[in-house]
Amino acid sequence: MNMNHHILLIRAGYAQRKKIDHPLHYPPPLALKYAQALLEQSGHFKVRIIDSLVASVPDRSILNIIAQWPAQTVCVEIASPASERGLTLCQNMRERHKGLLIIAVGSDVSERYPFYSAARDVFDVILRGEFELELSRLMIHVHKTGGGNVLPYHDAPAVNKDVCLVSELDKLPFPSWTKEDLRSYPYRYPLRLPKKILPGYISTSRGCRHGCSFCSPSVRKSFGKSLRLRSAGHVVKEIESLQNLGVNIISFEDDDFTGNPEHVRSICAELRKKRLNIHWACHARIDEVTPGLLHDMKQAGCVLILFGVESGAEGIIRLLHKSRHESNWNSQAKETFQNARAEGIATCALFMVGNPQETRADVDESIRLAFQLQPDFIKVHNFTLYPGSQDYQRYSTSLKPSAAPHHYLRPIINVSRLTDQELKIFQKRFYRQFFFRPAFLLAHIKNYSLFYLFNWTWSFKMIMEVLCFLLSKEKHVSSHKERL
Ligand code: SF4
């Protein structure tokens, strides 16, 4: 079997990573892991992944690896915050390695493909959407045609018109992991578990049927509104294979894990049936979890749920299209957080500041709601106009096409009624008011001390990052970002 074709899969790093002071969590590039598994399964290719985002691999090292390994094909995943870095890397690759087949994938490429297509000499192919199967088909075509007329398309860069979606998720092979791989992706939230953890990352579904106006593939893990599900048996088999590597906590990386309650129940039932004794965390919506579902989740090992609350101001929830019943949003949030607490499941409330038309009073409403919810932690992001979101469309006439990265920690456009300086101050104030309360600190020490002790290397780094961020003075923002 000829395995001479070497394919390098790269997750592009963020150009401004070093300038970002807010602690960050980077889950593994699951789509690249699936692509690797599919390509290897075909038996035709040697595949290697470089996660430049997490490992901060400089471009010159990547260029040397391409020359020395040597790679014949490179597939670069470019998310919105990595647009500058990804484009520059690909331009350098093209300059240095003329015969290289360069394929671009990822959320930013999918949404802003005309911008990337304009770089005609750089990319050979652009694959939009969930690219794993299409990439595998394309590479098998390249393999069969001996690399001659490599593309089944005419113009370069060739772009798939319709965004790819993977419909039968059970047909995707499990990503392959080593313990070292997994250790590169520490889970960034403390857990109420008195043990040393090794996290594993799994997706059980793709798609989200909701229409939050700020949401785009840039902040999601999958594309499209149609919810596609893996079978419980398939999910639990993957969990078992990770357990064999020593994984003892699973992070379900679904956009909306509770999008189909029956799906969640079937996974919980399978986990209980197999007596896997594994703990797990997930993202969920506050309006999708009932007390009964939370009970099932707890019985099956759920220890943490992250809920997108976004704002405590009804007007903002309405503008964000977060819920069709925005007047109930706060009461629903309070009820759900209370129900999770009653089950003994820890919670994280995710908020945003800088929302469209947001005022100081709106931010105060959010802070008030955060106190009332009593989550174990909060996360406060900046509202960001991500390519592919409804809000991006809404404001797009005012946006110039550019490679400037859109990142929730450094949004380049301010659509609120607050100044940039005020936004920075309010974000930090939000955190400080929440975390620096005696009641919070006492409860946190009681619930998490043992976890910190068992995971002290990770904990020390994380606590230092959080403290540095919270205690640092807000730098003066001299000029406004682009304002709309
Ligand atoms: S924010 Fe969450 S619930 Fe809303 S559309 Fe995006 S993935 Fe779905």
Side-chain angles (χ1 to χ4, degrees):
M1 193 173 293
N2 176 8
M3 297 240 312
N4 285 335
H5 196 123
H6 290 192
I7 303 174
L8 190 60
L9 307 177
I10 300 170
R11 171 155 74 167
Y14 298 172
Q16 55 176 352
R17 188 175 171 214
K18 288 210 173 69
K19 290 182 225 152
I20 290 169
D21 46 5
H22 188 293
L24 295 172
H25 170 54
Y26 297 122
L30 278 185
L32 290 182
K33 296 293 287 182
Y34 276 120
Q36 178 183 32
L38 275 164
L39 290 163
E40 286 177 345
Q41 190 184 51
S42 76
H44 300 310
F45 310 105
K46 279 207 171 147
V47 188
R48 186 167 164 183
I49 294 184
I50 295 179
D51 187 349
S52 184
L53 179 59
V54 166
S56 292
V57 186
D59 286 8
R60 72 171 179 286
S61 306
I62 295 177
L63 295 172
N64 288 339
I65 291 168
I66 293 171
Q68 285 158 16
W69 188 31
Q72 285 85 38
T73 298
V74 174
C75 171
V76 185
E77 186 182 48
I78 306 177
S80 185
S83 51
E84 266 176 351
R85 179 85 204 279
L87 191 56
T88 312
L89 170 66
C90 293
Q91 282 163 338
N92 290 337
M93 289 192 305
R94 174 56 77 224
E95 216 164 275
R96 181 110 167 246
H97 302 284
K98 299 277 183 248
L100 196 66
L101 179 61
I102 302 180
I103 302 169
V105 298
S107 56
D108 201 49
V109 171
S110 300
E111 295 301 334
R112 299 198 303 147
Y113 64 92
F115 171 73
Y116 288 90
S117 301
R120 297 184 72 79
D121 303 337
V122 177
F123 302 105
D124 294 299
V125 182
I126 289 174
L127 293 178
R128 301 173 60 221
E130 296 166 7
F131 61 89
E132 301 100 315
L133 287 170
E134 199 56 32
L135 176 68
S136 168
R137 274 187 217 118
L138 173 68
M139 291 318 302
I140 288 170
H141 172 85
V142 169
H143 177 75
K144 284 190 180 152
T145 55
N149 177 19
V150 291
L151 305 174
Y153 316 99
H154 297 299
D155 296 323
V159 184
N160 54 328
K161 268 199 272 149
D162 300 320
V163 167
C164 312
L165 295 180
V166 177
S167 50
E168 294 177 277
L169 299 180
D170 279 0
K171 292 206 170 148
L172 291 176
F174 299 160
S176 64
W177 298 98
T178 61
K179 260 193 179 179
E180 282 58 45
D181 282 340
L182 290 164
R183 284 199 189 107
S184 333
Y185 300 98
Y187 194 64
R188 296 289 292 196
Y189 300 92
L191 301 163
R192 290 189 203 162
L193 295 173
K195 65 178 179 184
K196 188 167 171 57
I197 62 159
L198 179 65
Y201 297 84
I202 287 186
S203 117
T204 81
S205 68
R206 292 191 185 184
C208 175
R209 65 194 164 87
H210 297 284
C212 310
S213 62
F214 58 90
C215 186
S216 102
S218 304
V219 281
R220 286 177 49 182
K221 310 282 166 43
S222 64
F223 289 75
K225 282 202 159 191
S226 75
L227 188 62
R228 291 147 287 143
L229 307 170
R230 286 174 67 186
S231 65
H234 202 248
V235 170
V236 172
K237 252 192 209 147
E238 188 176 353
I239 295 177
E240 284 179 301
S241 72
L242 286 169
Q243 265 192 318
N244 292 337
L245 279 176
V247 165
N248 55 6
I249 170 87
I250 296 289
S251 171
F252 286 125
E253 292 292 303
D254 303 31
D255 288 325
D256 178 17
F257 181 66
T258 50
N260 180 326
E262 276 320 303
H263 171 66
V264 180
R265 282 199 187 92
S266 64
I267 292 174
C268 293
E270 190 71 12
L271 283 169
R272 284 204 304 271
K273 192 171 99 191
K274 294 263 178 140
R275 296 176 192 278
L276 288 198
N277 190 24
I278 190 104
H279 293 106
W280 48 274
C282 64
H283 273 85
R285 276 184 61 105
I286 58 169
D287 50 359
E288 284 176 345
V289 290
T290 58
L293 188 65
L294 285 168
H295 181 72
D296 285 356
M297 290 164 75
K298 173 67 182 173
Q299 295 304 308
C302 179
V303 286
L304 170 67
I305 307 180
L306 295 96
F307 289 106
V309 180
E310 322 307 352
S311 170
E314 280 172 13
I316 298 294
I317 292 298
R318 191 177 316 121
L319 275 173
L320 296 177
H321 297 194
K322 186 71 197 178
S323 163
R324 270 184 248 134
H325 313 287
E326 58 275 353
S327 57
N328 292 334
W329 188 248
N330 288 9
S331 51
Q332 215 159 23
K334 285 177 211 161
E335 204 179 312
T336 298
F337 276 73
Q338 164 61 34
N339 291 337
R341 219 173 13 259
E343 280 298 337
I345 301 175
T347 51
C348 175
L350 309 169
F351 285 91
M352 292 193 299
V353 293
N355 297 299
Q357 300 177 34
E358 192 167 53
T359 61
R360 181 181 180 152
D362 295 327
V363 179
D364 286 342
E365 295 249 23
S366 296
I367 297 177
R368 232 185 332 271
L369 180 62
F371 286 173
Q372 291 165 349
L373 298 180
Q374 300 176 45
D376 289 56
F377 347 90
I378 55 165
K379 209 165 169 187
V380 186
H381 288 172
N382 292 300
F383 172 90
T384 309
L385 280 183
Y386 281 113
S389 66
Q390 292 170 48
D391 286 327
Y392 186 87
Q393 289 295 326
R394 191 168 141 211
Y395 294 107
S396 62
T397 44
S398 320
L399 298 170
K400 295 178 211 95
S402 85
H406 294 256
H407 194 295
Y408 62 84
L409 298 174
R410 290 272 188 277
I412 52 174
I413 291 154
N414 181 354
V415 293
S416 73
R417 294 197 184 151
L418 298 157
T419 65
D420 300 345
Q421 184 73 21
E422 284 170 330
L423 280 178
K424 274 173 108 24
I425 290 170
F426 290 155
Q427 183 198 30
K428 217 168 256 188
R429 185 179 296 165
F430 198 146
Y431 275 122
R432 284 178 185 155
Q433 289 190 0
F434 183 84
F435 286 132
F436 295 158
R437 286 173 299 144
F440 169 82
L441 291 171
L442 284 174
H444 196 75
I445 291 167
K446 179 171 158 256
N447 291 327
Y448 292 96
S449 297
L450 284 176
F451 177 84
Y452 288 137
L453 276 176
F454 278 101
N455 299 277
W456 65 271
T457 17
W458 168 92
S459 307
F460 180 73
K461 200 166 163 257
M462 203 269 301
I463 290 171
M464 290 314 288
E465 271 180 36
V466 171
L467 285 179
C468 285
F469 171 69
L470 290 181
L471 298 175
S472 64
K473 273 198 180 153
E474 293 80 20
K475 287 180 206 101
H476 180 67
V477 180
S478 52
S479 64
H480 279 355
K481 297 185 265 277
E482 197 173 331
R483 285 191 72 94
L484 297 177

